[in-house]
Amino acid sequence: FEFSWLGNGQLELRIVNRRYFTTLDDITVVWALRVNGFVVETKALAFPTVLPQKSAEVDGASILQALAHHNIQQLISDGDSEIHLDFSASILGATLGATSERVEVASDQITLSTQGKKKSKLPYPKHLILCQNNDKGRLVKAEPDSMSLTANGFTISLVDGSFIYQSVTDSTKPIVSSLQPNLFRAGTDNDGVKQLGDQFFDKSKPLGLWLTLGLDCTTLEDLDVTLSSKKINFSGDAMDFPSVVTKASIFGNPRRRKYEGISLAEKLEDSSTSSVKLGKWEQQVTMVGNGSVYVEITLDLKESLRDLPRVGLQFTSPCMGKACFFANGPHENYSDRRYSAHAGVYEVDTPSSLDTYVVPQEQGNRTGLRWLFLYQSSSSDNAGRSKEATEVEEDSIANLVANKTGILILPEDLVEFTTSRFTDAE
């Protein structure tokens, strides 16, 4: 699709037939208008017969009407919204020797507006701005290696460099726990996950090096925990909230985990590699008046660690079975494989979101995360749910999170993420 929106009610849209021998008469095209990832309107697109290797102009009146109806020009001028226009081309499955249902054969996404033209950081959704509660959070316990903050019925306990975030009314089920550095990812063929042990020191197969450094099992040591405060700006009003700062050294621990059948890992088990200092960790955790938590982490890694598989964080959310996100999807995608992934709001059933490989390997990643909502699901929610992420039925994040128990994660910048019932090492 060749798309150009000139404003003032003018739009140019052409469809190009890349086929060599047939027209596109068997193709059905549907467009969808997205505002901040949610589909606000969708319709079928009528187009004339397009000869092979030719293009034709398409009447975009229905798209123009939708742009006007949803006040898209004003949203773009305000600079607060992401606007995308999706095109999906499908064909009857029977034509491909499959079922009689329609099968998508091509898709495209046109970006009309992105956040950040006026703001350097991703803004919080307006209706989820953290409220200015008079309870500014209070310190409930302070010990040399353990501190706790509480506000609005939520408590965050900091122990051994990590923290546990939970509801005061249900302390048996942590909402978030085991936050720690993540410098490892599951291996792939190119990393050497299927290679022989004699390639342990082959620089083109870095899995051996990663395991030698102990990236699959990192720990925080030499802890220094202090009470502090942080000034956070809410709608122009800066307020001070209590926070806890944790400084530590990051160590990799080779041979802590066993990988039967992975030759590179089995060879490492015979070596005498000791713990490896990888860098420094500084974490500041701030609890604001309504119980929300602001986490700021700095990783200062050694200059020699240039070939790291990942630099990020990982945590456990024990009671969350579903993930809804505004990111590139719906299928898995990576920084070097994401052209077919389109920005949108999708949901996936976390426990069944993994593919079965002969040798377990890296999977399930998605790029361009704007926000992630992890929440509990009932048995009826999981009935018939495929492991592939699907379009959500809600039309706004406010309706999505209403009456659900979960945790909303809002990064300040675009990041990549994976939700899984397994750790990368597992």
Side-chain angles (χ1 to χ4, degrees):
F1 296 93
E2 297 176 351
F3 180 86
S4 178
W5 184 27
L6 307 178
N8 299 322
Q10 297 182 17
L11 177 150
E12 293 181 0
L13 176 62
R14 298 188 68 83
I15 186 170
V16 181
N17 184 0
R18 301 296 187 189
R19 293 174 169 177
Y20 286 97
F21 305 108
T22 60
T23 66
L24 300 177
D25 291 348
D26 59 330
I27 296 288
T28 297
V29 176
V30 175
W31 61 262
L33 178 63
R34 293 182 183 270
V35 176
N36 292 326
F38 291 95
V39 175
V40 296
E41 188 168 339
T42 181
K43 287 184 180 179
L45 181 68
F47 58 91
T49 296
V50 187
L51 297 177
Q53 295 294 297
K54 300 292 182 179
S55 65
E57 187 172 348
V58 179
D59 183 4
S62 61
I63 299 177
L64 277 174
Q65 292 172 3
L67 296 175
H69 176 72
H70 297 283
N71 204 17
I72 299 302
Q73 186 67 65
Q74 185 61 50
L75 292 177
I76 294 176
S77 299
D78 293 342
D80 292 335
S81 303
E82 288 193 63
I83 314 295
H84 295 94
L85 185 62
D86 292 3
F87 293 95
S88 174
S90 62
I91 191 172
L92 279 176
T95 308
L96 302 176
T99 66
S100 59
E101 298 180 357
R102 302 204 69 85
V103 177
E104 185 179 67
V105 294
S107 65
D108 202 357
Q109 184 173 70
I110 310 297
T111 301
L112 302 182
S113 176
T114 59
Q115 289 178 334
K117 290 185 177 180
K118 294 184 178 181
K119 302 176 182 179
S120 58
K121 299 292 186 180
L122 294 176
Y124 290 118
K126 288 184 176 179
H127 51 279
L128 292 174
I129 291 290
L130 305 181
C131 66
Q132 298 182 23
N133 194 308
N134 291 328
D135 178 7
K136 297 182 179 180
R138 58 189 176 89
L139 183 68
V140 296
K141 185 174 68 171
E143 298 178 356
D145 295 323
S146 175
M147 294 189 182
S148 298
L149 301 172
T150 185
N152 198 31
F154 293 93
T155 294
I156 185 164
S157 304
L158 295 103
V159 183
D160 297 330
S162 185
F163 66 70
I164 298 175
Y165 179 64
Q166 57 194 15
S167 169
V168 174
T169 58
D170 188 1
S171 59
T172 62
K173 295 181 180 179
I175 300 174
V176 170
S177 62
S178 304
L179 179 72
Q180 57 186 303
N182 180 13
L183 305 178
F184 185 72
R185 61 164 172 75
T188 64
D189 293 358
N190 290 338
D191 300 328
V193 72
K194 296 181 181 179
Q195 304 304 318
L196 301 177
D198 57 5
Q199 292 182 303
F200 189 84
F201 298 104
D202 185 343
K203 293 183 178 180
S204 67
K205 305 296 181 183
L207 182 59
L209 173 61
W210 297 344
L211 295 176
T212 301
L213 292 172
L215 300 183
D216 60 324
C217 184
T218 58
T219 55
L220 298 176
E221 303 179 20
D222 306 325
L223 296 172
D224 178 23
V225 183
T226 58
L227 177 65
S228 182
S229 65
K230 184 175 181 64
K231 193 178 294 293
I232 300 180
N233 194 327
F234 295 108
S235 303
D237 297 326
M239 302 178 65
D240 284 318
F241 294 96
S243 64
V244 176
V245 176
T246 303
K247 296 181 181 180
S249 298
I250 306 173
F251 280 86
N253 300 277
R255 297 182 295 132
R256 289 279 184 92
R257 302 182 186 277
K258 306 295 183 181
Y259 303 101
E260 296 182 4
I262 306 298
S263 298
L264 293 179
E266 290 178 340
K267 184 168 185 177
L268 177 64
E269 295 175 7
D270 299 328
S271 64
S272 58
T273 306
S274 58
S275 296
V276 181
K277 187 173 182 179
L278 304 174
K280 298 179 180 179
W281 162 279
E282 181 172 337
Q283 167 189 278
Q284 183 171 10
V285 179
T286 306
M287 175 168 273
V288 301
N290 70 347
S292 298
V293 177
Y294 185 88
V295 182
E296 190 172 14
I297 293 176
T298 301
L299 289 85
D300 184 6
L301 302 175
K302 283 191 172 183
E303 189 71 20
S304 58
L305 300 176
R306 296 182 176 274
D307 189 25
L308 292 174
R310 177 176 289 161
V311 177
L313 310 172
Q314 68 179 31
F315 65 87
T316 301
S317 186
C319 55
M320 305 305 168
K322 277 185 175 295
C324 184
F325 52 87
F326 181 12
N328 296 329
H331 50 73
E332 68 174 12
N333 54 91
Y334 298 82
S335 57
D336 59 345
R337 289 189 293 135
R338 59 182 180 180
Y339 187 78
S340 64
H342 302 322
V345 177
Y346 310 99
E347 69 175 355
V348 63
D349 177 27
T350 303
S352 61
S353 61
L354 296 180
D355 290 308
T356 302
Y357 288 88
V358 174
V359 176
Q361 63 183 47
E362 165 64 22
Q363 57 184 288
N365 189 79
R366 289 176 176 87
T367 60
L369 177 67
R370 283 75 161 174
W371 53 259
L372 170 65
F373 182 51
L374 302 173
Y375 63 100
Q376 294 177 347
S377 59
S378 63
S379 58
S380 59
D381 290 336
N382 293 329
R385 174 70 65 184
S386 68
K387 62 189 173 183
E388 190 67 71
T390 56
E391 199 79 45
V392 300
E393 297 178 357
E394 304 293 350
D395 58 0
S396 71
I397 191 172
N399 293 333
L400 174 69
V401 303
N403 301 318
K404 291 185 176 71
T405 300
I407 177 171
L408 180 66
I409 300 170
L410 301 162
E412 284 196 338
D413 296 286
L414 296 177
V415 296
E416 301 183 23
F417 80 101
T418 302
T419 58
S420 171
R421 56 180 171 172
F422 303 105
T423 65
D424 289 299
E426 290 171 333

